[in-house]
Amino acid sequence: NGTGNHMRASTLKALIIHTADEAGANPGPDYQFVWGLMNTLAAADVITADPSLNTIEEITLNNGGTYQRTVTAGGTQPLQVTIVWTDLPGSPVSAQLDPITPMIVNELDLRITQGGSTFYPWKLDRNNPSAAATRNGENNVDNVEMVTIDNPVAGTDYTIVVDHDGTLSGGSQIFSLIVTGIGSAAPMP
């Protein structure tokens, strides 16, 4: 009702994951609770909040392109960015238990930079499912990526970067972007 437009499935998925309550022994996703427990009130609050303090966007990334946006951290909560895209169907592998071949067709990558630091998305280790999720490199297997900066410096600019590996099938990929923890933001590109 707020915008007069319906959300894409990827936007709704991103919003639910972005606003989920933590569950499990460690922060971030895990193999038992995935992204946590759905918090409908938190999702509604993001939808209805002042758009200068958070972002819900649906963006088209063209082949060879990069999306960049600089935001200023509020510093009172984590700076969190989530992207989700509805990927094209991959080529199935032969029948096997728990195949390790990635099935992503259009592999998008999310990261946040600030000065000389790069913040990466959460990533699980399939070979060690009880281990806590890490944030030390690209996630090349999921069509959901979330970067969380637990204690951003208030008033500091952080740059959100979304690009892709390889060639985008179809020449472009629409992705949904959710951002919270903004104190102020540069105008959207």
Side-chain angles (χ1 to χ4, degrees):
N1 289 337
T3 65
N5 297 317
H6 296 287
M7 284 185 187
R8 291 179 168 278
S10 58
T11 306
L12 182 56
K13 182 176 179 178
L15 183 64
I16 290 169
I17 289 169
H18 189 91
T19 58
D21 289 335
E22 177 61 48
N26 298 306
D30 60 57
Y31 284 106
Q32 183 175 6
F33 295 100
V34 192
W35 289 99
L37 301 172
M38 183 173 162
N39 184 331
T40 306
L41 178 58
D45 286 345
V46 169
I47 293 169
T48 58
D50 179 346
S52 69
L53 301 178
N54 68 50
T55 298
I56 300 175
E57 289 186 81
E58 295 169 344
I59 301 159
T60 300
L61 184 66
N62 292 317
N63 193 48
T66 299
Y67 170 87
Q68 286 192 339
R69 179 170 179 205
T70 299
V71 297
T72 303
T76 60
Q77 66 184 41
L79 177 60
Q80 186 163 288
V81 178
T82 303
I83 64 169
V84 173
W85 64 100
T86 303
D87 199 36
L88 298 171
S91 300
V93 296
S94 61
Q96 55 187 291
L97 179 62
D98 199 16
I100 62 171
T101 305
M103 299 300 294
I104 291 289
V105 173
N106 287 336
E107 168 47 36
L108 303 187
D109 290 311
L110 169 66
R111 62 192 172 281
I112 299 176
T113 61
Q114 194 287 312
S117 299
T118 301
F119 301 89
Y120 291 102
W122 294 99
K123 180 172 56 172
L124 294 170
D125 180 356
R126 70 178 310 281
N127 295 319
N128 190 0
S130 63
T134 61
R135 300 182 268 184
N136 57 8
E138 290 184 358
N139 177 339
N140 293 317
V141 297
D142 298 310
N143 67 333
V144 173
E145 296 193 5
M146 178 191 295
V147 175
T148 305
I149 302 173
D150 298 310
N151 297 299
V153 178
T156 299
D157 288 344
Y158 292 83
T159 302
I160 301 163
V161 179
V162 179
D163 57 14
H164 65 89
D165 294 339
T167 301
L168 293 177
S169 182
S172 65
Q173 177 64 58
I174 297 171
F175 68 94
S176 299
L177 174 80
I178 311 288
V179 183
T180 55
I182 300 172
S184 63
M188 289 183 263

